[in-house]
Amino acid sequence: VIKEMEEKKPHYQTSVTGLLLALSIELYRIQSEGGSNIAPTNQPPENAMVISPVLDYIEDNYAQQFDINYLADICRLSPTHFRRLFHSIIGTSPLDFVNNTRITKACNLLRSTEYSIMEHKYSVLEISEMVGFRSVSSFNRHFMDVMQITPRAYRNETLQVKENQEKLSILEYKGWMYPEK
């Protein structure tokens, strides 16, 4: 858990949730074997790990189009039960989770120059298609819902921050003060 929190790789929050869930299940088993009759108050659902394959699938295939029935089939659950279970474990609907994953990936592409080919910076439309949105308007709407800013404004802000960081150098500082201009 600590390693995941320090490294902050994509979807580390979901990974930490899963690890803590596994830990709580193991502690519950130890407690049960010890003869204690006191059940934990925040006991996770018994079948909480059943959605793990879906989380892996979404991470690997976020740019693809798939529906709720397909995700439910991965877990061998009915779509209704899958939605209910997913929401109770993750705290959001499967569709919102997929869209949040796509927005996270889009943020990485918007602020990164490493994804450019021959000095070509991907447009917002290209990025929206790369992360799995069918239309740029849908992408803009979901991006705005999650990030509270448009994709174009997000890119401009991150590029501006990057340019300002490149302009300042440690050699320009005198003690704790900025140089006079």
Side-chain angles (χ1 to χ4, degrees):
V1 171
I2 293 170
K3 182 180 175 188
E4 283 288 336
M5 293 296 290
E6 288 174 348
E7 291 180 358
K8 294 190 180 194
K9 291 180 181 177
H11 302 289
Y12 73 93
Q13 297 101 332
T14 306
S15 176
V16 168
T17 302
L19 291 169
L20 290 174
L21 182 61
L23 175 63
S24 65
I25 290 169
E26 194 60 37
L27 291 173
Y28 179 70
R29 288 178 180 157
I30 291 169
Q31 180 185 16
S32 296
E33 292 170 1
S36 173
N37 293 330
I38 303 169
T41 55
N42 288 334
Q43 179 182 349
E46 250 182 63
N47 55 353
M49 296 309 286
V50 76
I51 68 163
S52 176
V54 166
L55 298 176
D56 292 338
Y57 181 83
I58 292 170
E59 177 65 27
D60 295 339
N61 300 286
Y62 63 88
Q64 306 302 317
Q65 298 301 317
F66 45 85
D67 63 9
I68 193 72
N69 294 331
Y70 184 74
L71 296 178
D73 284 345
I74 291 173
C75 297
R76 302 188 193 316
L77 298 171
S78 72
T80 303
H81 184 63
F82 171 72
R83 272 191 209 97
R84 201 176 312 125
L85 182 63
F86 191 95
H87 193 278
S88 72
I89 295 168
I90 301 298
T92 188
S93 72
L95 179 61
D96 285 343
F97 184 82
V98 170
N99 286 332
N100 289 344
T101 300
R102 290 173 174 166
I103 296 301
T104 300
K105 301 296 184 180
C107 286
N108 292 338
L109 290 169
L110 286 167
R111 73 172 166 257
S112 175
T113 56
E114 288 128 21
Y115 291 94
S116 60
I117 299 173
M118 294 199 276
E119 302 303 319
H120 171 72
K121 184 169 45 171
Y122 289 127
S123 69
V124 170
L125 173 62
E126 290 170 315
I127 289 173
S128 73
E129 291 169 350
M130 289 168 69
V131 298
F133 284 96
R134 290 185 178 169
S135 72
V136 73
S137 63
S138 175
F139 172 66
N140 285 332
R141 184 177 65 252
H142 287 291
F143 196 95
M144 189 71 175
D145 287 345
V146 173
M147 301 300 295
Q148 310 300 310
I149 190 171
T150 66
R152 196 171 314 283
Y154 178 84
R155 171 180 266 168
N156 291 339
E157 280 186 16
T158 56
L159 290 176
Q160 206 169 32
V161 167
K162 194 180 264 186
E163 287 173 9
N164 289 341
Q165 287 174 343
E166 289 172 1
K167 288 179 186 175
L168 293 175
S169 140
I170 193 74
L171 299 175
E172 294 174 351
Y173 293 102
K174 295 179 183 170
W176 293 99
M177 307 300 289
Y178 285 98
E180 293 181 22
K181 294 191 179 197

